[in-house]
Amino acid sequence: MDDDGTRGVRGSSADRVPGPALPPPPTTPPRVPAPAAGPRPGATPVEQHPTRPGPASPAEQPVPGAPVDAWLRTPRPPQEPGVWRYGYTPPPPEEPEGVSNRSLLVGALISLLSALLLWSLWRNGYLPYRLVPLKLFTPGEWWNPGTSGGPRTIEGSDALTVYEAILFGLLAYGCGRIGNFSELFRRHVADRGQPFLALAAAAAAGLTQLLVWKEALPVVRPVLVLVASVAGGEIYQSQTVVNVIYAVIAAAVLYPFARLGCWRQLIAARRGAAAPAPDGTAAAPAAATSADQWPELRTAGWTDAADTLTAEVRTGRMSDVDVARLRHAWTLATRRPDRLAPLAEAVLRTGGAAALHPSGHRDLPRRGARHDVLTGQVRIGRCADDPHNPYVRRGTGLALEPALLGTSLLAVGPPGAGKTARLIRPVVEALALRALAGQAAVLAVGGAGAPLGPDDAFDVVVRLGHPGSAHDIDLYGGTTDPDEAAAVLAEGLVGDVGSLDSRRAATVLAQLLGPYRAAHGHFPSVPELRELLDGTPAALAGLRASLEAAGHHAMLRELDARSRQAGGPGDPAPALADRVALLDRPAFTGFFATGPDARPFSLRALGQHPLRVRVDLPERGHAEASRLLTRLLLAQFTAITAARTDTALFACLVLDDATHAVTAETVRGIRRLRSVNAGAVLALRTVDDVPETLHTPLLGAVGCTAAFSGITTWDGKRFAEAWGKEWVETREVAQHTVFADQPFTRALHALRKLVTGKAVTTDAVTVRQVERERWSASELAYAVPAGHAVIRLATVEGEHAPPLLVHLDG
């Protein structure tokens, strides 16, 4: 195995980029996959060759057979925190609560029957004074005497015909508005789409034409009367003119139904689908400013490099990781102009393989989640259609990205809730892809066998307690300062012991680490540190002799102070020795080595190189040692990232199980991570895995929280308090019995009670604004379905989203 010259020695120093966990794959450029069909929903990704991307998901890659330029040109509009931006389309405006289908149908039927009854009464002369408005605007000699007298002349009959047509139109319009026929048409006809819409409109048009020409609807005669009054009656002596008028009437009756049925759009769509594309016509080329044309390179004048990358994208010789990596490399090069020319020459020479990751990998061996490497997002689920979620978020994808992980994330859920498979694994995978693009470094810590990803997806794999592990962990974090090493080591060893002051423990360790390093040039190994903490006379005497021989008088005073304090009340040395003894076991022989020949992996490399690191802990056989190491890695990560000067690289620590790993000092360190472009992802089975005094500080330190299904009401109460309250509108309905005074009314009420079995009541509705919890403890414990989680997100800029119920699909 290629381990950069470290064969036989575990690890690498902070100034040296560790070799990959497995031999690097061939350097042939990966191509965008072109499967015959999209993946089935819920299908397990098929393992691919390490140099080729995994199967493309419909929501993250172009359609099958299309090159990556389609993926590159897909819009990604800015949205609220957590929205899956790839190809996002906003939902339609929220519609107000409408009436039920039953009420709508009954209202339309009543309106129609009422209109028919009114029209029948009109036509049969049962309505008094029905001709009075017409007689007011026409000459009196046209009508017979009296208010109900009919027409006397032909002119009066023609006026009555037109008058009835106008009244019929007003009656039809009023019936349609009162009966809400437009909403009925939209729900039961228009919403079904084509071709049902066109067929329904055609059937209605045919029925209306039949009624018009049978003169059941007053349309033909009023039109003929109006035409005769304008052009004269002699016009009807020509059969051609009559036919034209009839054709115009038929077309006028047909036109509104053609508009309602969208006949024109349907015919155009059918013609467009049936018409074959002419031979030799190619798709219109993308605009010169489109994303796949690399406009940033063309603007800077590097046209040759832009043409090379455009050809690589169009021919499928680049993957999405290559695009993201080269874009990031170009952004960094623009900050230092001396790097522009070498980058352009590398692009012209190697194309999409320029600016490769130190491991030589251009993609992960396989992907299990949907990623948009251009924005750094990983889709973990979809917001449920639930009243707790805002309308604009229902049905939208939920994604995590560095802007959110920079505030740190706390996930709480019982075993089997899906924390690892549906949240931790996608996050580690997304950070690994971002590391290949040169934009992030990730440290994933979990138990041996935890599904955090295959070995060939990481550059460094540390298997503590496994004899075949090629790398080791530096207990001292790669520092040369005894005080700094003592402070971090004290947090890892006894940070969870509430009765011990970690500052006194750090002082005890510094009194031993400083003299030992001054005498030997390195920190002590685990057995040597255990002997010093136990106060073994031979170990202390040997250290004292070495210091006296080298003339380190200041360190002799430190050792003398340790000797005076040893065995005193409250001395933390015995507790420290007991914790170090957890690491001084036969299973860890050869690990945590120190000295000039040992070069264990140091977490300081995470702040300098885009590394992918995985640490496997022996949780089954050494549970307490695993918790100690987890606590130590968390303390080292917060201390190292907070002290780095170059924060261009996003660094993230992912703990698959943070049980007993959180201390008061690490909570303060987590709070500082967002200001140094770093974050931590912590998974817990319950909040009680953290000391009770740290429950509130921890929930306040992280910006993103996730409560999985199955948590207890005690945990739900803490999340409910952390997420706060909101103003909601409540409706209270009070029913009051109606007491009748009149005998007839009392009889009707008695009859109604006899039929329905209930007394006659009236409702008193009270609407008011109250402040309620966004999610109550009981709802979090019992109303979250399996496979779901309630997630609250926040960005490092201060934007935040309310707690959302999310269906996790990994």
Side-chain angles (χ1 to χ4, degrees), residues 44-48 364-371 378-380 400 405 409 411 418-433 442 444-446 449-458 614 654-657 681 683 708 808-810:
T44 303
V46 181
E47 182 175 352
Q48 301 291 330
L364 296 180
R366 54 185 176 272
R367 305 186 188 182
R370 300 180 183 179
H371 300 272
V378 53
R379 187 182 183 279
I380 63 171
L400 296 176
L405 299 178
L409 186 148
K419 300 188 301 297
T420 300
R422 300 183 179 183
L423 180 65
I424 300 299
R425 170 74 182 267
V427 168
V428 173
E429 196 172 89
L431 292 172
L433 287 172
V442 57
V445 181
L452 299 181
D455 292 350
D456 48 358
F458 295 92
R614 194 189 76 205
V654 182
L655 297 181
D656 185 47
D657 184 5
V681 180
F708 283 71
L808 301 171
D809 53 20

Side-chain angles (χ1 to χ4, degrees), residues 442-445 458-462 601 606 611-615:
V442 57
L443 172 62
V445 181
F458 295 92
D459 303 311
V460 176
V461 177
V462 181
F601 173 75
L606 292 174
L611 294 177
R612 303 166 294 165
V613 183
R614 194 189 76 205
V615 178

Side-chain angles (χ1 to χ4, degrees), residues 96-115:
E97 295 183 2
V99 296
S100 62
N101 289 333
R102 178 180 178 182
S103 300
L104 191 63
L105 291 172
V106 171
L109 181 60
I110 292 175
S111 175
L112 179 61
L113 294 177
S114 300

Side-chain angles (χ1 to χ4, degrees), residues 63 167 177 343 360 373 520 539 623 633 686 756 797:
V63 296
L167 290 180
R177 291 297 302 270
L343 178 60
V373 188
H520 300 283
L633 291 174
T686 173
T756 62
E797 289 83 9

Side-chain angles (χ1 to χ4, degrees), residues 287-346:
T289 57
S290 61
D292 65 312
Q293 294 275 347
W294 302 85
E296 58 273 15
L297 273 70
R298 298 183 186 276
T299 303
W302 300 95
T303 307
D304 294 341
D307 291 338
T308 301
L309 293 179
T310 301
E312 294 270 310
V313 169
R314 293 290 179 83
T315 55
R317 293 196 298 269
M318 289 180 65
S319 67
D320 52 354
V321 178
D322 295 329
V323 174
R325 186 187 69 252
L326 289 174
R327 283 197 166 198
H328 179 67
W330 177 261
T331 302
L332 295 180
T334 54
R335 300 173 185 172
R336 297 183 61 179
D338 56 315
R339 296 184 178 181
L340 289 175
L343 178 60
E345 293 176 359

Side-chain angles (χ1 to χ4, degrees), residues 594-605:
T594 59
D597 296 333
R599 290 186 299 169
F601 173 75
S602 172
L603 265 63
R604 293 186 180 275

Side-chain angles (χ1 to χ4, degrees), residues 29 52 64 120 142 156 158 165 175 195 209 338 364 386 399 440 467 530 540 559 606 616 636 653 670 745 755 757:
R52 295 184 182 272
S120 177
W142 289 5
D158 294 341
C175 174
Q209 290 280 6
D338 56 315
L364 296 180
D386 187 85
R530 181 183 179 183
L540 294 176
L559 193 60
L606 292 174
D616 294 343
Q636 287 185 1
L653 169 67
I670 290 173
T745 308
V755 174

